[in-house]
Amino acid sequence: MKRKELTNTQWERLQPLLPPQKPQTGRRASDHRVIINGILWMLRTGAPWRDLPERYGPWGTVASRFYRWRKAGIWQRLFEALQQQADAAGKMNWAMHYVDGSQGGFSTKVHLRAAGEKALMTFELSPGQRHEALGFEPLMAGGQ
């Protein structure tokens, strides 16, 4: 495991929430953990998809998974499930909120809303060409 990639503990929490590795039709998908680590690398660096290190697989595979899961609402469902787990464990402070936006790849912006001890409450993805302020309203409408 490389620095800043999913830890085993994080992966154990995330894996049961993901779509099956082998869909009902077609061939087995590329390893979800490798793909997600590639997506995290992209969001962290803001690099173009084509600059994705080879250890994450073909950049087109990683980009395709990111966009297909966004369109299917999988990222939002994952986030909501993890948020519910944190809330049930008493790790969410709903009294204090923080809002941030950052470049998450060549043409994507990531807008975040966090509570208390920086517990992620909701997020919004938008095209990189939009002003960050346009992500504020959807952030505040999401979550609790």
Side-chain angles (χ1 to χ4, degrees), residues 111-123:
H111 309 273
L112 307 170
R113 177 179 166 201
E117 298 290 321
K118 300 180 184 171
L120 189 60
M121 293 178 62
T122 189
F123 69 95

Side-chain angles (χ1 to χ4, degrees), residues 19-41:
Q21 192 66 49
K22 169 79 171 91
Q24 289 183 349
T25 61
R27 61 183 166 84
R28 182 177 177 85
S30 297
D31 186 288
H32 288 328
R33 186 173 184 172
V34 173
I35 297 289
I36 292 171
N37 280 327
I39 292 168
L40 292 172
W41 186 90

Side-chain angles (χ1 to χ4, degrees), residues 114-133:
E117 298 290 321
K118 300 180 184 171
L120 189 60
M121 293 178 62
T122 189
F123 69 95
E124 188 74 26
L125 300 175
S126 68
Q129 303 87 340
R130 292 182 57 197
H131 190 277
E132 285 186 12

Side-chain angles (χ1 to χ4, degrees), residues 39-107:
I39 292 168
L40 292 172
W41 186 90
M42 291 298 302
L43 294 172
R44 189 173 58 256
T45 65
W49 283 109
R50 290 181 187 270
D51 291 346
L52 182 72
E54 290 180 13
R55 69 179 174 266
Y56 300 117
W59 71 266
T61 301
V62 178
S64 174
R65 180 89 48 94
F66 173 77
Y67 290 117
R68 281 188 292 114
W69 282 13
R70 182 178 68 181
K71 185 176 181 180
I74 292 170
W75 295 119
Q76 188 64 36
R77 286 194 301 273
L78 285 173
F79 171 73
E80 290 169 358
L82 292 171
Q83 184 182 49
Q84 288 172 357
Q85 290 175 9
D87 192 30
K91 295 182 179 179
M92 296 294 288
N93 177 354
W94 298 99
M96 243 175 161
H97 298 224
Y98 305 91
V99 176
D100 187 20
S102 63
Q103 188 77 13
F106 184 70
S107 63

Side-chain angles (χ1 to χ4, degrees), residues 99 111 132-141:
V99 176
H111 309 273
E132 285 186 12
L134 298 175
F136 181 77
E137 211 169 296
L139 281 179
M140 298 314 290

